[in-house]
Amino acid sequence: MTSSSRAASQVGYNGWPNYETWAMSLWLDNEESRYRHWRSVAEQMRAFATDSRYLWDDGMNREEAARCELADRLRAATEDSCPEIGPTVYADLLHAALAEVDWHCIAEHMLEDLK
């Protein structure tokens, strides 16, 4: 990694931690029905955070628990819908990019939008 790319990665991308997180957030927010779906899920996570394992097992507060639950759902839904393209360089790159997504940041953004 060059010093200029290292500096860019520390700054983030368009206000997000990195390009991968920004791109995923854009895709989640860009289409109306997908946006409404995830907004509804975010509302559910906030409403039912008192039932979260994060609240009881990890000692988080309601907002933290809602964020973690929503991040888990976002990651799982994305992984479940990921196309099977076999053992290729494209699969490796796809999975590497998805591993860089900061799901908690996206979840926090979605929950903040509810306020």
Side-chain angles (χ1 to χ4, degrees), residues 65-95:
R67 185 188 72 240
C68 288
E69 291 286 353
L70 182 56
D72 289 350
R73 296 253 180 129
L74 288 162
R75 179 186 298 118
T78 301
E79 289 172 354
D80 290 348
S81 66
C82 194
E84 285 293 325
I85 54 178
T88 66
V89 66
Y90 305 108
D92 290 347
L93 291 171
L94 172 62
H95 292 293

Side-chain angles (χ1 to χ4, degrees), residues 16 20-22 24-25 28 70 74 101-111:
W16 293 90
E20 296 83 0
T21 304
W22 169 80
M24 181 58 66
S25 179
L28 291 169
L70 182 56
L74 288 162
V101 174
D102 185 337
W103 299 104
H104 289 266
C105 184
I106 294 172
E108 184 174 352
H109 175 76
M110 288 179 169
L111 290 166

